[in-house]
Amino acid sequence: QGYMLKKGHKRKNWTERWFVLKPSIISYYVSEDLKDKKGDIILDGNCCVEALPDKDGKKCLFLIKCLDKSFEISASDKKKKQEWIQAIQTTVNLLRAGSPAPHKEARQKRKELRQKLLAEQEELERQMKELQMANENKQKELETVRKQLEVAAARAAEEEKKRLQTQVELQDRFSLELEREKMVRQKMEEQVAQKSSELEQYLQRVRELEEMYKQLQDALEDEKQARQDEETVRKLQARLLEEESAKRAELEKWHLQQQQTIQMTEAEKQELENQRMIKERALQVAMQQLEQLELERKEALEQYEEVKKKLEAAANNTKSWKDKVAHHEGLIRLIEPGSKNPHLITNWGPAAFTEAELEQRQKNWKGKKATSE
């Protein structure tokens, strides 16, 4: 197939067409996309092809003669001209002889060759299994001899020399056998190396699956790390809540003392004014610490949200890799996360403790409040 110039039958103009040679026909199209077909040249045993001299400014001409029509064609160069003439002449000769198309014979030969290679590969695998079984039997025999030698080593010192000599002889004999087996295995490996080109695609797929398993393992590690970060943030949030509760209790205590100070008699007012100022400063410091704890709690909540997003991203990444592995292997089932305890909401935001812990904290807070009163 290729582009050539064709001379028209009516207007005698030269037009470039894309020609495609088939077993019994030559089709020509406007372009190589084969969408707009312009005509066919029917080939049979009566057709012939011959070269023409250059004329009308056209070079590399040849003529295809059929029973009802002839076609003048101009190739791009002399090499293409000669290739087209030989190809068309070969097609006509096959049609005259009634022989099948060459590509059918080649297809049949390739099929026979594949069957032959498959049979050789199966025979090679069978020989490898036999060789492996024989090697395992030899290894078992060698292991049995070694155990016998170890038992014999406990005997009297007079037999030590004889035992050692026997052991050396057995080792030499089995070493020779192993060397022969290695030579046989080397020959088999050489034969396997000749067939290895057919297994490259399978090995490539195995490598891709291994890489996907590795990426899946990394995604699982990321998810595990995200869960650990989430647990750390939860613990930090619980600690900040405890500190905030303690500061609030202290603030209430200072406030109560301030009220008691106000209720004192007028005579003690001047004396207690300085103490009130000191307590107000302490109260301001406590308020600043409370605000600082509020900021830290907000930062902890933001960190918790970031860790939660990372955990969701890691979980989605894990699910994506699991889907890819399941698509290639069909052996992976999705692993869903276990159930979690419900999160509780307090006046200061989400809490990371259970209802039992919340009740215990309330009891402690009430006890502290009763003690201060």
Side-chain angles (χ1 to χ4, degrees):
Q1 59 184 359
Y3 281 107
M4 292 189 297
L5 296 176
K6 173 184 168 297
K7 185 176 182 181
H9 292 88
K10 296 181 179 180
R11 292 188 293 177
K12 306 299 181 182
N13 58 335
W14 292 88
T15 308
E16 187 180 50
R17 295 286 184 252
W18 177 265
F19 288 80
V20 179
L21 175 60
K22 300 178 182 179
S24 62
I25 191 173
I26 301 176
S27 301
Y28 50 94
Y29 304 82
V30 174
S31 62
E32 58 184 321
D33 57 4
L34 307 180
K35 292 183 177 179
D36 191 2
K37 186 177 181 180
K38 288 299 183 180
D40 295 320
I41 303 175
I42 307 301
L43 301 178
D44 55 18
N46 298 320
C47 296
C48 64
V49 58
E50 61 184 27
L52 296 177
D54 299 341
K55 64 178 181 179
D56 299 333
K58 302 297 179 183
K59 298 181 179 180
C60 304
L61 298 173
F62 63 92
L63 179 67
I64 302 175
K65 291 183 179 181
C66 298
L67 290 176
D68 56 343
K69 193 180 294 186
S70 298
F71 300 85
E72 291 185 23
I73 299 175
S74 173
S76 59
D77 52 38
K78 292 182 179 180
K79 182 180 178 181
K80 293 291 184 181
K81 171 185 174 181
Q82 190 62 29
E83 290 176 354
W84 274 99
I85 291 175
Q86 291 179 357
I88 295 171
Q89 189 62 48
T90 302
T91 304
V92 172
N93 293 337
L94 291 172
L95 291 172
R96 289 176 183 172
S99 301
H103 69 279
K104 293 183 179 179
E105 295 180 358
R107 186 183 303 167
Q108 183 64 25
K109 289 181 179 179
R110 288 196 299 270
K111 182 177 180 181
E112 293 176 356
L113 181 59
R114 284 197 300 271
Q115 293 177 352
K116 182 179 179 181
L117 290 175
L118 183 61
E120 290 179 355
Q121 185 177 0
E122 292 177 353
E123 179 64 22
L124 187 60
E125 291 178 354
R126 185 185 63 80
Q127 292 178 1
M128 287 293 291
K129 289 181 180 178
E130 292 179 355
L131 182 60
Q132 186 177 3
M133 291 177 64
N135 190 15
E136 290 177 355
N137 293 331
K138 293 295 183 182
Q139 291 291 340
K140 290 179 180 179
E141 292 179 1
L142 185 60
E143 184 68 18
T144 302
V145 171
R146 187 182 63 80
K147 290 181 180 179
Q148 292 177 356
L149 291 174
E150 289 178 355
V151 173
R155 294 178 182 177
E158 294 83 10
E159 299 177 357
E160 184 67 25
K161 184 176 179 179
K162 183 179 180 180
R163 258 197 329 272
L164 291 174
Q165 185 177 0
T166 304
Q167 184 180 2
V168 170
E169 292 176 356
L170 289 172
Q171 287 180 350
D172 293 339
R173 180 164 60 86
F174 282 105
S175 297
L176 292 174
E177 292 181 0
L178 287 175
E179 288 295 330
R180 288 196 294 268
E181 290 178 1
K182 286 181 180 178
M183 293 177 63
V184 174
R185 181 182 294 177
Q186 185 177 2
K187 292 181 180 179
M188 299 299 290
E189 288 176 353
E190 291 176 356
Q191 295 178 1
V192 171
Q194 295 177 357
K195 309 297 182 179
S196 61
S197 59
E198 299 175 1
L199 301 178
E200 288 181 357
Q201 185 176 2
Y202 174 77
L203 294 176
Q204 181 66 25
R205 184 184 175 195
V206 170
R207 287 192 293 270
E208 291 176 356
L209 287 174
E210 290 177 352
E211 183 65 23
M212 292 178 68
Y213 277 122
K214 183 178 179 182
Q215 294 177 356
L216 175 60
Q217 188 67 27
D218 294 338
L220 291 173
E221 289 294 335
D222 293 339
E223 181 180 2
K224 182 179 179 181
Q225 185 63 34
R227 290 183 182 276
Q228 293 177 355
D229 294 341
E230 181 185 12
E231 186 66 24
T232 303
V233 172
R234 285 180 179 177
K235 292 179 179 179
L236 176 61
Q237 183 183 10
R239 182 179 62 80
L240 291 176
L241 287 173
E242 289 179 356
E243 293 179 358
E244 182 180 359
S245 178
K247 291 297 181 180
R248 286 185 180 275
E250 185 179 357
L251 180 62
E252 290 179 358
K253 181 179 178 181
W254 285 110
H255 182 69
L256 182 60
Q257 292 178 0
Q258 185 180 14
Q259 291 296 328
Q260 292 175 356
T261 303
I262 293 174
Q263 294 175 1
M264 289 182 179
T265 60
E266 191 68 21
E268 298 175 350
K269 184 176 179 181
Q270 188 63 32
E271 181 181 354
L272 297 176
E273 184 66 23
N274 295 331
Q275 295 181 2
R276 187 181 62 81
M277 295 297 295
I278 295 172
K279 291 180 180 180
E280 284 182 355
R281 285 195 294 270
L283 181 61
Q284 290 178 359
V285 172
M287 290 293 293
Q288 291 178 358
Q289 292 178 355
L290 181 61
E291 291 176 357
Q292 183 65 26
L293 286 175
E294 287 284 346
L295 291 176
E296 291 179 357
R297 185 180 64 81
K298 290 180 180 180
E299 291 177 358
L301 286 175
E302 291 176 357
Q303 292 178 1
Y304 172 77
E305 292 296 331
E306 291 177 359
V307 171
K308 186 177 180 181
K309 290 180 181 179
K310 289 181 180 180
L311 179 60
E312 291 177 355
N316 293 331
N317 190 12
T318 304
K319 183 178 180 182
S320 174
W321 281 114
K322 287 176 181 177
D323 292 339
K324 289 183 180 180
V325 173
H327 177 70
H328 284 81
E329 195 70 12
L331 298 177
I332 303 299
R333 64 181 181 85
L334 294 177
I335 301 174
E336 298 180 354
S339 61
K340 297 181 179 179
N341 293 327
H343 289 203
L344 301 177
I345 303 298
T346 66
N347 294 333
W348 307 283
F353 43 78
T354 61
E355 294 182 359
E357 292 176 346
L358 181 59
E359 292 177 358
Q360 185 64 33
R361 292 175 188 272
Q362 289 178 352
K363 291 179 180 179
N364 295 336
W365 182 79
K366 289 179 180 180
K368 290 180 180 179
K369 185 174 181 182
T371 304
S372 64
E373 291 177 356

